[in-house]
């Protein structure tokens, strides 16, 4: 049972336009969400996170939106750049697990930004 | 900081051989995670440690897999005997605190022929 789902395996966007990556979750105990970016032959790198007490978090060109009622989050990249081309993973965790909290990852979305 | 260090970066071995993957977490981080990434199953957690103690190994696929963390700066993931279906990229990650993000190493690409 996939608790974190990224239903779009790939997304292509023109340079300068907005990229929107989506993620859905089923576990209502999840209260902390993260996005990771992964280039080929490298490990995932942390991009941005959001706690369930917020519905938006912004860091430069990257904004994450959280809709708790819909159990949905999205990552917006504006403007998109060719260097943003990578696989993006959504991840979630539950604070109720305390120090034992771990991340549950989605399957990833390959973003390609076309020049 | 050098980040999470994994070795080797690539490993090619024959079925039946023992494989040992190594990880050095970021200094000061007290949690360490081992993941496996495959096309079929994506990124899956195998085992993780808090303060060198294994907390959850429910993701370890079989008894052929074992992991140790003898001290705060070193961990190993061992597969004995290895099988072709173990071919995957294995990542190690470390974390400073429970509420923080995990930092991943570059991964070890394992090929078992």
């Amino acid at each position: 049972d996939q608790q974190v789902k990224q239903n779009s395996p790939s997304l292509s966007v023109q340079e300068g336009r907005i990229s929107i990556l989506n993620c859905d979750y089923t576990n209502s105990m999840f209260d902390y969400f993260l996005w990771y970016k992964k280039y080929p032959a490298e490990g995932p790198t942390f991009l941005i996170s959001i706690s369930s007490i917020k519905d938006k978090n912004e860091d430069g060109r990257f904004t994450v939106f959280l809709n708790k009622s819909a159990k949905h989050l999205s990552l917006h990249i504006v403007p998109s750049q060719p260097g943003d081309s990578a696989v993006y993973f959504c991840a979630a965790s539950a604070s109720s697990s305390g120090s034992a909290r771990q991340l549950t990852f989605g399957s990833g979305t390959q973003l390609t930004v076309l020049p | 900081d050098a980040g999470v260090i994994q070795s080797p970066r690539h490993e090619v071995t024959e079925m039946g051989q023992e494989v040992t993957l190594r990880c050095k977490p970021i200094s000061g981080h007290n949690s360490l995670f081992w993941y496996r990434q495959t096309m079929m199953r994506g990124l899956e957690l195998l085992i993780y440690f808090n303060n060198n103690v294994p907390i959850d190994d429910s993701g370890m696929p079989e008894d052929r897999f074992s992991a140790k963390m003898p001290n705060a700066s070193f961990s190993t993931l061992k597969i004995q005997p290895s099988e072709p279906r173990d071919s995957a990229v294995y990542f190690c990650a470390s974390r400073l605190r429970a509420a923080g993000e995990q930092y991943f190493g570059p991964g070890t690409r394992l090929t078992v022929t």
Side-chain angles (χ1 to χ4, degrees):
Chain A
D1 176 34
Q2 271 191 302
Q3 297 187 63
V4 178
K5 299 179 183 179
Q6 293 177 256
N7 292 318
S8 298
S10 63
L11 173 69
S12 291
V13 171
Q14 208 69 35
E15 180 179 4
R17 306 293 291 268
I18 184 172
S19 294
I20 300 176
L21 297 101
N22 294 303
C23 178
D24 297 293
Y25 62 96
T26 57
N27 189 339
S28 58
M29 300 301 292
F30 287 151
D31 56 6
Y32 185 59
F33 305 90
L34 307 88
W35 285 95
Y36 282 80
K37 179 169 71 173
K38 184 183 181 304
Y39 293 118
E42 295 183 10
T45 56
F46 169 72
L47 193 56
I48 192 169
S49 64
I50 188 167
S51 165
S52 60
I53 62 173
K54 294 184 175 181
D55 53 20
K56 177 183 173 182
N57 189 26
E58 198 170 346
D59 183 2
R61 297 185 297 114
F62 302 90
T63 303
V64 56
F65 295 91
L66 176 62
N67 182 333
K68 290 184 288 293
S69 61
K71 293 189 175 67
H72 176 84
L73 65 155
S74 61
L75 175 68
H76 292 210
I77 307 173
V78 181
S80 301
Q81 299 174 354
D84 296 329
S85 297
V87 177
Y88 289 78
F89 290 98
C90 169
S93 71
S95 61
S96 57
S97 301
S99 61
R101 66 161 57 185
Q102 52 185 277
L103 294 179
T104 301
F105 283 86
S107 55
T109 296
Q110 170 70 57
L111 172 66
T112 302
V113 180
L114 305 168
Chain B
D1 196 330
V4 176
I5 299 172
Q6 290 187 249
S7 65
R9 291 295 309 275
H10 302 275
E11 177 79 35
V12 180
T13 190
E14 291 184 347
M15 182 174 64
Q17 296 298 306
E18 177 181 296
V19 175
T20 299
L21 311 182
R22 297 173 175 79
C23 176
K24 177 178 168 55
I26 293 173
S27 177
H29 283 196
N30 57 19
S31 297
L32 183 140
F33 305 80
W34 282 101
Y35 291 89
R36 177 172 68 176
Q37 185 183 27
T38 61
M39 289 294 293
M40 290 296 293
R41 301 175 66 89
L43 196 60
E44 53 179 343
L45 178 66
L46 300 177
I47 185 172
Y48 76 98
F49 297 82
N50 271 355
N51 297 315
N52 313 339
V53 176
I55 301 300
D56 184 355
D57 65 354
S58 60
M60 297 285 262
E62 298 169 35
D63 291 344
R64 299 184 296 107
F65 286 69
S66 63
K68 294 182 179 179
M69 192 164 186
N71 57 62
S73 59
F74 184 66
S75 177
T76 59
L77 178 67
K78 186 177 293 186
I79 309 172
Q80 166 63 19
S82 57
E83 296 182 3
R85 60 193 167 123
D86 302 330
S87 297
V89 180
Y90 290 81
F91 290 104
C92 175
S94 69
R95 182 182 70 190
L96 176 62
R97 54 188 174 86
E101 61 271 15
Q102 296 177 20
Y103 293 83
F104 283 77
T108 295
R109 180 173 293 278
L110 173 65
T111 303
V112 183
T113 61

